[in-house]
Amino acid sequence: AQRVTQPEKLLSVFKGAPVELKCNYSYSGSPELFWYVQYSRQRLQLLLRHISRESIKGFTADLNKGETSFHLKKPFAQEEDSAMYYCALRGGSEKLVFGKGTKLTVNP
Amino acid sequence: NAGVMQNPRHLVRRRGQEARLRCSPMKGHSHVYWYRQLPEEGLKFMVYLQKENIIDESGMPKERFSAEFPKEGPSILRIQQVVRGDSAAYFCASSLDRRETQYFGPGTRLLVL
């Protein structure tokens, strides 16, 4: 079975502080992992995918197969990072399996 | 490129009525996916379609729900005889090819009274 767990429903940090949004997954094969973000009143959009190994808006995420994790990190949070963040997995088929999401609030 | 379009954005139905949700994929995209998000939940896959074909409907409820993606026109998610438990946000996504990035629409919020 494919499952994505985001243990934190809410996460609040101060501007300039480091932020880490946790994501753990369960899948027996080699997954593709994604982070999607939804800013207030906007549609869901892709933030990054593990195969790209890129940094978007200062965010990075490393796939750790040993710990089955794909945590999202940013060294210095900005107020505009406040949003809902969803971790997603794609296994052997085309469908995405999403976690329940983490609402990040960056306080001034 | 206008992005994935969904309409209506909000839909109110009484129990027993039919709901039709439309999705126009991004230009050039022939792969469409429907997801449902219940309150406080993540998005759950429902169905994956290519033009005129249903590829994967493993997430579709067995009764009352159907989807199509005709050769011409938008993809339609149809819910017959709606019940209160169908109240949710329904998202459509499209991709250029299978396993390419899925781009999401703004969603349709269905409320069943």
Side-chain angles (χ1 to χ4, degrees), chain A residues 50-108:
Chain A
H50 89 271
I51 60 173
S52 301
R53 300 188 66 80
E54 57 191 344
S55 173
I56 304 293
K57 299 185 180 183
F59 285 96
T60 59
D62 290 316
L63 178 60
N64 186 324
K65 291 187 178 181
E67 295 183 358
T68 59
S69 68
F70 188 57
H71 303 326
L72 184 67
K73 300 176 185 178
K74 185 169 183 177
F76 308 103
Q78 303 299 315
E79 289 180 68
E80 55 266 31
D81 296 329
S82 296
M84 280 294 297
Y85 290 81
Y86 294 95
C87 182
L89 173 154
R90 183 160 64 191
S93 66
E94 283 71 30
K95 69 181 181 184
L96 293 171
V97 176
F98 285 86
K100 293 188 178 184
T102 298
K103 183 176 181 180
L104 173 65
T105 301
V106 181
N107 299 298

Side-chain angles (χ1 to χ4, degrees), chain B residues 24-58:
Chain B
S24 296
M26 286 179 70
K27 189 175 180 180
H29 287 194
S30 59
H31 300 251
V32 165
Y33 315 79
W34 285 93
Y35 294 84
R36 176 166 66 174
Q37 184 177 32
L38 296 169
E40 307 293 317
E41 296 287 322
L43 282 74
K44 295 268 195 303
F45 168 80
M46 299 181 75
V47 62
Y48 162 43
L49 310 100
Q50 290 182 42
K51 281 288 185 181
E52 300 184 273
N53 292 303
I54 296 175
I55 307 301
D56 180 356
E57 56 182 348
S58 58

Side-chain angles (χ1 to χ4, degrees), chain B residues 9-28:
Chain B
R9 295 290 306 278
H10 299 274
L11 183 61
V12 180
R13 284 287 178 267
R14 297 192 180 280
R15 281 179 296 169
Q17 291 183 319
E18 179 179 287
R20 283 190 178 229
L21 288 63
R22 293 175 187 77
C23 169
S24 296
M26 286 179 70
K27 189 175 180 180

Side-chain angles (χ1 to χ4, degrees), chain B:
Chain B
N1 199 326
V4 179
M5 306 296 287
Q6 288 188 250
N7 68 80
R9 295 290 306 278
H10 299 274
L11 183 61
V12 180
R13 284 287 178 267
R14 297 192 180 280
R15 281 179 296 169
Q17 291 183 319
E18 179 179 287
R20 283 190 178 229
L21 288 63
R22 293 175 187 77
C23 169
S24 296
M26 286 179 70
K27 189 175 180 180
H29 287 194
S30 59
H31 300 251
V32 165
Y33 315 79
W34 285 93
Y35 294 84
R36 176 166 66 174
Q37 184 177 32
L38 296 169
E40 307 293 317
E41 296 287 322
L43 282 74
K44 295 268 195 303
F45 168 80
M46 299 181 75
V47 62
Y48 162 43
L49 310 100
Q50 290 182 42
K51 281 288 185 181
E52 300 184 273
N53 292 303
I54 296 175
I55 307 301
D56 180 356
E57 56 182 348
S58 58
M60 286 280 269
K62 293 287 183 276
E63 296 176 351
R64 302 187 297 109
F65 285 72
S66 63
E68 62 177 8
F69 188 17
K71 188 176 179 181
E72 301 291 335
S75 175
I76 307 285
L77 180 67
R78 183 182 178 205
I79 311 172
Q80 294 178 289
Q81 299 177 314
V82 295
V83 300
R84 288 216 174 108
D86 297 333
S87 295
Y90 291 82
F91 292 93
C92 168
S94 74
S95 66
L96 188 61
D97 202 349
R98 58 184 297 273
R99 301 192 77 79
E100 290 291 326
T101 297
Q102 293 182 23
Y103 295 88
F104 282 80
T108 294
R109 270 118 184 116
L110 172 66
L111 176 63
V112 180
L113 301 177

